[in-house]
Amino acid sequence: MNRVILMGRLTRDPELRYSQTDSSMAIARFTVAVDRRVRRNQDNPDQQTADFISCRAFGKTAEFVQKYFSQGRRILLQGRIQTGSYTNREGQKVYTTDVIADDIEFCDSRNGEGGTSGGYNNNYNSYQPTSRPAPSSAIGDGFMNIPDGVEDEGLPFN
């Protein structure tokens, strides 16, 4: 199984181009900086703590990422790893590794304070806005208030 899930920030605005063979096929290229779970080394505090992962998206997903994402925005994507190779102008073989994104979602609101989210899922071919439920009020003992009229059979722990 070849499945990848990444969450990080765009290092620059996505680049959108259209295929030379099919002018209606959009192709977006972008790079996602994904933090590593590494403790900073006191001997080398400048140690890289992020990976910069090259990503591509096609079709409506590409148009979505180019329209709604920009440098610094957090992104959540699912896709697959694709490897390839080509020969450059100097005759050297160059190997490539990209994540091909097919499901892209927002991780924060436009102002960076959480709130609504949504995304483009290639499986459904449409933008799917979602909203997070408002936090419920808690009683001082750490338990959540359950409103009157809720049936016991709807609770997962009865």
Side-chain angles (χ1 to χ4, degrees):
M1 179 187 298
N2 181 355
R3 197 75 185 146
V4 175
I5 301 172
L6 299 174
M7 183 168 61
R9 294 193 183 274
L10 292 181
T11 61
R12 64 179 183 270
D13 292 347
E15 298 174 16
L16 185 69
R17 296 190 177 139
Y18 289 89
S19 172
Q20 294 174 356
T21 57
D22 179 6
S23 62
S24 64
M25 174 59 76
I27 304 168
R29 291 183 176 270
F30 54 98
T31 302
V32 178
V34 178
D35 288 332
R36 290 183 189 170
R37 289 190 170 198
V38 177
R39 292 184 184 168
R40 288 199 178 256
N41 184 346
Q42 290 182 358
D43 297 334
N44 187 6
D46 296 328
Q47 178 183 4
Q48 181 180 349
T49 59
D51 291 305
F52 298 88
I53 300 171
S54 176
C55 301
R56 288 188 286 159
F58 296 92
K60 297 288 185 189
T61 307
E63 292 170 348
F64 172 80
V65 76
Q66 191 272 332
K67 183 174 182 180
Y68 293 106
F69 287 88
S70 59
Q71 180 178 354
R73 290 286 312 263
R74 280 197 327 158
I75 189 171
L76 174 67
L77 66 88
Q78 294 185 45
R80 61 184 168 81
I81 293 177
Q82 179 173 300
T83 59
S85 64
Y86 64 92
T87 304
N88 66 14
R89 293 180 184 173
E90 290 80 37
Q92 298 169 328
K93 193 160 194 164
V94 178
Y95 295 94
T96 62
T97 302
D98 292 305
V99 171
I100 307 302
D102 55 26
D103 185 9
I104 296 176
E105 296 183 30
F106 297 110
C107 288
D108 51 21
S109 66
R110 203 167 270 278
N111 62 8
E113 296 178 5
T116 62
S117 64
Y120 189 86
N121 184 323
N122 218 14
N123 298 330
Y124 301 105
N125 293 323
S126 65
Y127 173 71
Q128 299 170 347
T130 58
S131 61
R132 296 180 186 185
S136 60
S137 59
I139 302 173
D141 59 3
F143 289 97
M144 183 174 74
N145 275 333
I146 298 176
D148 292 335
V150 173
E151 298 294 324
D152 284 342
E153 55 248 65
L155 298 175
F157 46 80
N158 56 340

